[in-house]
Amino acid sequence: MTATLEQLRRCHFAVDLGAARTRVYVKGSGLVVDQPSVAAVNTRTGALIAVGEFAEKMTGRTPGYIRVVRPVSGGTVVDIEMAQRMLRQLLSDRVRRTLRRKPRLRAAACTPHDADPLAQRAAIETLVGLGARRVELVDTLIAAAVGCGLPVERPEATMVMVCGAAATQVAVLSLGSIVTAERVPVGGEAVDHAIVQHLRHRHQLVLPSQSVRPLQLALSGTGLTPEGPRSTEIHGRDVATGLARSVRVDTAAIREAIQTPLTAVLDGIGKVLRECPPDLVADLADRGIVMVGGSALLPGLDQMLRQATGMPVHIAERPDVCAVEGLGAMLEGRIAPMVLDPLRA
């Protein structure tokens, strides 16, 4: 963690800028923003038309002069100016007035594990543009572990897996620090892409981008496990004719299609365990892996990890907001550091 707990207690608000969703936590008010990281812009005038959920609904349905953009990619801000404009619109007028009244506004932000200096600088400049005089950076892995209630500060092994839209981060934590970690550039978007490509090649069906998530929800629970339904009906557009068409898809084939991106995630887990000290690995045999992040809710993913690793796998109670809730707990002072008494001679 780049910032100390004492520095974080002085912050007034925290931001989790993710590739899929942006979340803002204000000290004393709680979670005030939880919206998609999307903005719609008029290319003729440069005006911002919509942000958040409304802008996401416009994806693929806009005329030529309206462009839907995502200022955050892979957990990194790629368009600082657009990210600032999006955040200003997502924050209500009352919240903005409250923050402006702070004499020396401080902010905290999540950054992916091993983020390069340019990515860290982009996150800092984005919040400085909102009026922050100082920005503290926190590793997403630690913030997520704190947010789901794991005993991060104890001398015990804790394994957390952050399943994001663009990447998956796996780490073993102990004594409030990261012992070993791995960032795999495979996330929920890669799984969605694998499903879309499978339907295109096997059934000659083009699936709208906004229909992938409802498909996963339709297969929720035991949907992508061998015990789930054998087939499901999907609506899309025929590749050859361009007309609407429905096909019945075998769920076993979909499970096979998403195996390729998930194999990379399993390789990352194996690498983290190989680099971890044996004593900590022994702790993990009982505790297992805790999954957080929006993609942790992918149907059957937890069961797949159990079978591949032989370890217990748990999904956090609210996996999508664990990172920002962890930042909020640090801001509010609900996390106390472990105090070690010096040895006396």
Side-chain angles (χ1 to χ4, degrees):
M1 185 166 57
T2 309
T4 64
L5 286 174
E6 185 60 35
Q7 290 171 327
L8 289 171
R9 286 195 191 100
R10 300 173 187 168
C11 294
H12 301 98
F13 72 103
V15 178
D16 178 17
L17 277 169
R21 299 183 75 87
T22 294
R23 300 176 177 92
V24 181
Y25 187 102
V26 176
K27 193 173 184 178
S29 300
L31 188 63
V32 297
V33 172
D34 185 3
Q35 294 279 342
S37 304
V38 187
V41 185
N42 187 329
T43 56
R44 296 174 181 172
T45 63
L48 199 63
I49 297 176
V51 295
E53 291 181 355
F54 187 47
E56 189 176 45
K57 292 178 181 177
M58 297 168 66
T59 304
R61 298 188 171 110
T62 59
Y65 66 93
I66 296 179
R67 188 164 58 100
V68 178
V69 297
R70 292 182 177 271
V72 184
S73 176
T76 302
V77 179
V78 294
D79 189 339
I80 296 175
E81 181 185 358
M82 187 56 64
Q84 291 174 350
R85 295 174 66 185
M86 180 185 72
L87 277 171
R88 288 194 194 99
Q89 292 299 319
L90 289 176
L91 291 170
S92 64
D93 293 337
R94 184 177 62 84
V95 173
R96 288 204 302 269
R97 285 196 299 268
T98 302
L99 294 178
R100 278 199 298 264
R101 284 198 290 266
K102 305 295 182 183
R104 187 173 178 83
L105 188 62
R106 290 173 176 253
C110 285
T111 55
H113 179 67
D114 282 345
D116 57 72
L118 286 177
Q120 295 179 359
R121 189 66 191 172
I124 291 173
E125 288 187 8
T126 300
L127 298 186
V128 167
L130 292 177
R133 301 288 297 275
R134 183 180 176 88
V135 179
E136 309 290 354
L137 299 180
V138 181
D139 196 303
T140 303
L141 289 163
I142 294 181
V146 171
C148 61
L150 294 177
V152 180
E153 71 283 355
R154 297 179 185 174
E156 303 169 356
T158 301
M159 191 168 191
V160 63
M161 178 176 168
V162 180
C163 307
T168 300
Q169 305 172 65
V170 187
V172 175
L173 310 176
S174 180
L175 288 173
S177 300
I178 296 175
V179 178
T180 176
E182 184 71 16
R183 186 168 183 261
V184 183
V186 173
E189 293 176 353
V191 175
D192 294 350
H193 182 71
I195 294 175
V196 170
Q197 290 301 312
H198 166 78
L199 294 174
R200 186 183 184 94
H201 295 151
R202 185 71 63 87
H203 300 279
Q204 288 74 49
L205 192 74
V206 178
L207 192 66
S209 59
Q210 296 185 16
S211 298
V212 180
R213 193 61 60 183
L215 169 62
Q216 294 179 359
L217 293 177
L219 298 173
S220 60
T222 59
L224 289 181
T225 62
E227 297 79 17
R230 293 188 175 182
S231 63
T232 183
E233 191 173 3
I234 298 176
H235 305 279
R237 189 185 70 185
D238 191 277
V239 173
T241 64
L243 300 176
R245 184 163 65 92
S246 299
V247 297
R248 185 156 287 277
V249 179
D250 186 10
T251 53
I254 297 181
R255 281 202 308 274
E256 184 180 349
I258 66 176
Q259 282 293 335
T260 301
L262 293 181
T263 301
V265 175
L266 294 175
D267 291 342
I269 294 175
K271 184 177 180 181
V272 168
L273 292 174
R274 287 193 299 270
E275 295 177 354
C276 187
D279 292 341
L280 295 181
V281 175
D283 292 345
L284 296 174
D286 298 328
R287 296 190 172 207
I289 307 171
V290 178
M291 297 172 59
V292 300
S295 298
L297 300 173
L298 180 67
L301 177 58
D302 54 338
Q303 183 171 340
M304 205 173 295
L305 291 177
R306 286 191 199 99
Q307 295 174 352
T309 62
M311 298 169 58
V313 178
H314 313 282
I315 301 178
E317 186 177 351
R318 296 185 62 194
D320 50 343
V321 296
C322 279
V324 72
E325 288 290 349
L327 282 178
M330 297 177 194
L331 262 62
E332 303 281 4
R334 295 197 297 266
I335 306 300
M338 186 177 67
V339 179
L340 298 177
D341 294 330
L343 295 176
R344 296 180 181 178

